[in-house]
Structure formats: structure tokens, C-alpha cells
Amino acid sequence: METKKHKFIISGGGTGGHIFPAVSIANALKAKEPEAEFLFVGAEGRMEMEKVPQAGYNIKGLPVVGLNRKNPLQWISFAWKFFKSKRTAKQIVKDFAPDAVVGVGGYASAPTLDAASALGIPTFLQEQNSFAGKANKMLAKNARKICVAYEGMERFFPKEKIIMTGNPVRQNLMDVPFKDAEALKAFNLDPAKKTLLIIGGSLGARTVNNSVIGGLQKLKDAGIQVIWQTGKFYYDGAKAEADKSNNPLLTCTAFVKNMDQAYAAADLVISRAGASSISELCLLKKPCVLVPSPNVAEDHQTKNALALSTKGAAILVTDAEAEQKLIDTVIKLIADDKQLADLSENIAKLAQLDSAARIADIILNEIKK
């Protein structure tokens, strides 16, 4: 008897923190069912419309946007685009006729999973953060299963639907061992010196970059090797300051293409506290200083960072205090081998292995019932 060829819609996006897990789940499903068909549904003009096709998948866009609660004049525009998105999403789901629809958070997931539920199609959620997003909280009542990365998520979701899977991450990051010779060579690094990796996401992080600019002389005096990923918006200003510092141990770049090698070279990482970044740091056992972005819904990055720092698995420096404290904290920490080892040991305990494959199994098991 011929096996049924399954079809999947995966919806959500807006940031790399939603897109990486979405693509990882699709890849895991494809590895288990090579003949399966996939369609992504994202928000027009957002990052997923570029990144998903680059990963080899088709995507359709909805005109949906976020609601700016501080500007009532935009509510009418939001409502019109949301209802238009609901109509479009319903047509997309009807036409594609998927066996399951997976939501990873982000603007597009609400209308898409709503449409699927109304049509009796099984829906699944993947929540990356320790504080659930609005879309996922709204969609939880109709979801079959909800895959989470943090404990205590029954505050937001029905307990019987929750499965702890962790967040899917970019699998190639796991392939390069710590202090790998090729990784060090890629950044012209000396294996005898400590290396600091600074990452603020693909768009960058203003406070982190300002903190680094203010501490360039201190970093130079400390003799620390630095890989500084500024993000594209801040690169020109940061590069000018980096050049002025005349520090041969500093590499300043808008975007790190070979992130696997950058992680492998690093003794310590400064990072925002997005869910995907934290999952990667846990799997790679990286000592880190987390500077949560204050510009995210429900301040969820602070909650993500606290979930680690309260377990001795990361150092938390708030955005407000970063320009005064961040570089001094890092210089002291990177010289303390015992504290680095303790942070590495504690963060490794929070890692969830093979998350994407486990999520794929959950989806397949449910739709085959």
C-alpha cells in the first residue's frame, strides 16, 4: 500500500529567532519524510520573505502587521490588514490542504493557524521564549501539542498539551570543536590568548555597540582578542571607532557568516537574550554575558536571561546599566578560568538536544493517529 505523502504549512517569523526554528522543523520533517510538501506563510516585508526561499522553501506573504498600542490612529489600519490576512490565510490553507499547520510565533501565525483550526486541520505550536507570545497564547486552545523550551509554561498554556523539546537551532553550529585550528585561523586569532565574541543579532544592538565603543581602550589594554559583530545598521560608526582604536586584536564586522567558527573560537560571548541565541549558547556550553533587549514584547528577553542567571548559567547585565558595567564585567570574567568553567558547566545542563527531530516526531505521531 502506498504511504500517504504529507503536506505541512509552517507559519510565523519576523525575526531570526522565529525563522531559524521554523526552517529547522521543516528540515527535520523532510529528513523523516523526503516526499513531504511544505509551504511557509509569513508577513509581507518581513525577514522570512527573504530567508525562507534561501533555505529552499516556498513562502506566501500576508499583509498582517503588529499592533502599535501607543498609536490609536493605526488601529484601523491594523484591523483592516488583519481581516484581509485572515481571508488570504483561509484561501491559502484551503488551496494547499495541509495535514498539519505549525506556528512558531510572529504576526502571520495567528491568521494562518486560526484558518487551519476553523477547517479542522491539526495545529501545533512552538514557543521559543520563557514568556509566551501573544499569538501563541491566543492559539493554544485549539493546538494539539505545544512544544516549549522553558519550565513553568503551564502559566500560559494547558498543561496537558505542553511538551518540553527545547528550541531548534542551526545544526552546523555543533560541527566545529572549541578552539578549532581552522576557526582560529579564519579570524587570525592566537590560540594562547582569550577571545571575546560580541553578537547583537543580524540588525545589531545599539546599547551593546555603544558599550563596546566606550570600552575599546580597556579591551585593548587587557589584551583580549575580540570578534565584534555590530549588525548592519551600526557597522559604519562602529568600524570608524574600531579603526581609531588601532587594536590589532579586534575584528569588527557587520555580520558573521561563519558563526560556527566564531562560536568555536570564543572563550566568552556577549549576546542579547533572544530564545534562539540562548538555545545555541546552551548547546555549545558557552559562558556568556546576556544583555536583554528592552524593546521586545512583554520584556521576554529579560525573563529568558533570568531563567539562566538564577541558575548560575549566565551573567545578566541590564540594558540600562550596560554602558557603565558591561566591559568591566567582561574583562574581569574572561580572566577567571574557574568562573568560566562553572558557567559552561551550568549552561550545558539546560541544553535540549535534537529539538527539531523531536518536534517533527510529535507532529507526525499526532497526524498518524
Side-chain angles (χ1 to χ4, degrees):
M1 193 174 91
E2 191 178 336
T3 309
K4 175 177 165 56
K5 182 167 75 173
H6 288 115
K7 298 167 81 173
F8 302 97
I9 285 179
I10 300 178
S11 185
T15 66
H18 292 310
I19 298 163
F20 290 137
V23 170
S24 295
I25 292 167
N27 290 343
L29 285 164
K30 196 172 185 178
K32 292 173 186 298
E33 291 200 356
E35 297 301 311
E37 289 183 46
F38 295 89
L39 177 65
F40 281 68
V41 179
E44 290 173 357
R46 303 289 288 189
M47 193 191 293
E48 59 266 26
M49 302 308 291
E50 178 188 342
K51 296 292 183 186
V52 168
Q54 285 174 3
Y57 294 101
N58 293 328
I59 185 166
K60 289 184 182 290
L62 304 178
V64 67
V65 293
L67 174 59
N68 183 348
R69 294 175 188 279
K70 294 175 184 172
N71 187 349
L73 295 175
Q74 289 189 359
W75 290 7
I76 295 168
S77 170
F78 165 81
W80 181 81
K81 287 181 178 177
F82 186 79
F83 285 111
K84 187 180 178 190
S85 295
K86 283 191 79 164
R87 281 203 313 274
T88 306
K90 191 165 189 179
Q91 196 58 54
I92 289 170
V93 174
K94 271 185 172 177
D95 290 347
F96 190 73
D99 296 280
V101 177
V102 185
V104 295
Y107 303 147
S109 61
T112 308
L113 271 75
D114 254 357
S117 295
L119 294 165
I121 295 163
T123 61
F124 300 84
L125 298 178
Q126 199 267 321
E127 173 57 62
Q128 297 95 35
N129 293 294
S130 61
F131 195 93
K134 284 189 175 65
N136 279 352
K137 282 192 281 191
M138 187 177 78
L139 296 165
K141 67 178 186 296
N142 290 323
R144 288 273 188 97
K145 297 292 177 188
I146 303 165
C147 300
V148 302
Y150 290 91
E151 295 166 358
M153 298 303 285
E154 57 275 4
R155 289 176 296 157
F156 309 108
F157 303 130
K159 189 174 180 179
E160 68 279 5
K161 295 184 179 184
I162 295 172
I163 303 177
M164 173 72 86
T165 59
N167 286 323
V169 301
R170 295 170 283 185
Q171 291 306 305
N172 67 317
L173 297 180
M174 309 296 295
D175 297 337
V176 183
F178 180 50
K179 292 291 185 185
D180 176 72
E182 285 297 315
L184 294 167
K185 188 177 171 186
F187 295 97
N188 298 313
L189 298 171
D190 180 349
K193 287 186 167 71
K194 293 281 181 69
T195 301
L196 171 67
L197 172 62
I198 304 165
I199 47 177
S202 55
L203 302 179
R206 180 188 287 117
T207 307
V208 173
N209 287 329
N210 287 345
S211 304
V212 176
I213 288 167
L216 282 171
Q217 189 59 48
K218 288 181 179 178
L219 289 167
K220 185 178 179 180
D221 293 344
I224 298 166
Q225 298 176 130
V226 181
I227 304 168
W228 179 18
Q229 182 249 307
T230 65
K232 63 181 181 181
F233 290 143
Y234 305 104
Y235 175 69
D236 291 340
K239 184 71 167 71
E241 294 296 330
D243 290 345
K244 268 197 274 180
S245 76
N246 195 28
N247 183 356
L249 300 180
L250 173 65
T251 299
C252 179
T253 179
F255 188 74
V256 178
K257 288 180 183 170
N258 44 344
M259 204 61 213
D260 52 347
Q261 292 182 323
Y263 274 132
D267 295 276
L268 178 65
V269 180
I270 295 174
S271 175
R272 286 302 203 189
S276 287
S277 297
I278 286 181
S279 296
E280 290 173 355
L281 293 165
C282 291
L283 283 165
L284 297 167
K285 308 175 186 177
K286 284 291 160 186
C288 58
V289 177
L290 299 174
V291 186
S293 171
N295 309 311
V296 293
E298 314 283 1
D299 196 24
H300 68 248
Q301 285 204 8
T302 296
K303 297 173 178 82
N304 291 347
L306 283 167
L308 271 70
S309 63
T310 54
K311 295 182 172 76
I315 303 297
L316 169 58
V317 174
T318 68
D319 194 82
E321 64 189 5
E323 290 188 36
Q324 284 71 46
K325 283 181 59 175
L326 180 60
I327 297 304
D328 289 339
T329 299
V330 163
I331 289 171
K332 185 179 175 188
L333 175 56
I334 205 167
D336 188 337
D337 289 338
K338 170 74 168 65
Q339 194 177 6
L340 288 176
D342 289 345
L343 285 168
S344 177
E345 185 181 329
N346 291 335
I347 201 169
K349 291 173 186 170
L350 304 178
Q352 292 279 342
L353 299 173
D354 303 319
S355 297
R358 287 156 61 196
I359 293 167
D361 283 336
I362 289 162
I363 294 165
L364 292 170
N365 289 339
E366 282 294 317
I367 64 174
K368 286 172 182 173
K369 280 182 180 175

